[in-house]
């Protein structure tokens, strides 16, 4: 009788251990760490050759004082350029301000005049910081008599930094003689600054 009782107890204990995942046989699960959100890429995203200038998308945002915002961000751009030792006059807000209570999108042209020859290489520098993620298009082409809608150039996309300015550099090779190098930046209704440089390579 005692033998039967002992067997019954052993059987019950085995069932209890099996239900609890006992015996240390892999029943314990490790906690899976939460997946991190993918980081937003900042800086140079892409460069494409031989494309027409993208159409400007009309966008605007209401603000209290657009002129004060433009001064604030231009001053921040000047401060950044000074710290980096960047010598350029091309320091601008990332937005256009044509009215006091509105900032908007706009194609901002930079004209670099000179006796430029086909095959000349320019080192382009672009730096930008915005209060929220934004991507600026930088389109470059030689000025010519060709219709602006047909003219093709180089299109580079740069994602601006939010915590600190994004920095992007690349090369542009002039496809034809010209007396004016066009560098067009697409401003957006997003607060921030951008700094543009172009240097002829020897």
């Amino acid at each position: 009788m005692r033998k039967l009782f002992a067997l019954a107890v052993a059987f019950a204990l085995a069932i209890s251990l099996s239900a609890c995942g006992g015996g240390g046989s892999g029943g314990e699960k490790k906690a899976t760490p939460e997946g991190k959100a993918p980081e937003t890429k900042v800086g140079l995203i892409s460069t494409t050759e031989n494309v027409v200038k993208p159409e400007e998308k009309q966008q605007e945002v209401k603000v209290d004082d657009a002129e004060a915002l433009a001064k604030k961000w231009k001053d921040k751009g000047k401060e950044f350029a000074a710290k980096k030792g960047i010598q350029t006059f091309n320091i601008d807000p990332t937005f256009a301000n044509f009215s006091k209570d509105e900032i908007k999108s706009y194609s901002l042209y930079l004209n670099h005049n000179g006796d430029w020859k086909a095959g000349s290489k320019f080192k382009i520098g672009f730096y930008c910081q915005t209060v929220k993620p934004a991507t600026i298009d930088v389109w470059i082409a030689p000025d010519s008599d060709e219709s602006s809608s047909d003219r093709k150039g180089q299109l580079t996309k740069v994602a601006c930094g939010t915590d600190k300015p994004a920095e992007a550099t690349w090369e542009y090779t002039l496809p034809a003689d010209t007396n004016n190098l066009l560098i067009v930046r697409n401003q957006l209704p997003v607060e921030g600054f951008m700094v543009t440089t172009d240097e002829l390579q020897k």
Side-chain angles (χ1 to χ4, degrees):
M1 189 73 181
R2 288 180 181 177
K3 194 170 183 181
L4 287 172
F5 180 73
L7 286 171
V9 170
F11 181 69
L13 182 60
I15 292 175
S16 176
L17 287 173
S18 175
C20 295
S25 58
E28 186 179 330
K29 291 184 179 181
K30 294 183 180 179
T32 303
E34 292 184 8
K36 293 183 179 179
E39 294 183 4
T40 303
K41 184 175 180 180
V42 171
L44 195 151
I45 297 176
S46 64
T47 297
T48 308
E49 303 290 346
N50 203 34
V51 293
V52 297
K53 185 173 77 67
E55 287 187 22
E56 180 186 316
K57 296 179 181 178
Q58 294 297 324
Q59 305 173 70
E60 56 276 322
V61 170
K62 292 293 183 182
V63 296
D64 291 331
D65 191 338
E67 188 174 341
L69 285 177
K71 183 180 185 306
K72 167 189 171 180
W73 286 104
K74 186 156 187 171
D75 288 345
K76 284 181 177 289
K78 288 179 178 178
E79 182 181 348
F80 165 75
K83 286 181 179 179
K84 291 286 291 184
I86 301 171
Q87 297 183 347
T88 179
F89 293 107
N90 303 306
I91 301 172
D92 306 282
T94 49
F95 54 89
N97 60 303
F98 298 124
S99 59
K100 184 174 177 60
D101 64 347
E102 184 179 84
I103 60 175
K104 62 180 298 182
S105 55
Y106 184 69
S107 293
L108 185 63
Y109 279 70
L110 187 166
N111 296 288
H112 190 170
N113 300 117
D115 185 20
W116 311 125
K117 302 298 183 185
S120 297
K121 295 183 184 297
F122 292 83
K123 181 181 179 181
I124 309 298
F126 191 78
Y127 313 81
C128 61
Q129 181 173 1
T130 47
V131 295
K132 63 181 182 180
T135 299
I136 304 289
D137 289 346
V138 183
W139 184 81
I140 308 173
D143 199 358
S144 69
D145 295 331
E146 188 178 16
S147 169
S148 58
S149 60
D150 297 328
R151 188 181 305 150
K152 293 184 177 181
Q154 179 197 71
L155 176 64
T156 298
K157 293 180 177 291
V158 181
C160 298
T162 52
D163 297 329
K164 62 180 182 179
E167 304 183 17
T169 58
W170 66 95
E171 191 174 82
Y172 173 72
T173 302
L174 197 63
D177 294 354
T178 186
N179 59 6
N180 184 23
L181 180 67
L182 297 174
I183 302 177
V184 186
R185 289 77 37 89
N186 75 305
Q187 291 175 306
L188 302 168
V190 179
E191 290 184 45
F193 70 80
M194 56 185 177
V195 179
T196 312
T197 64
D198 64 294
E199 181 182 354
L200 179 65
Q201 302 297 285
K202 296 180 179 179

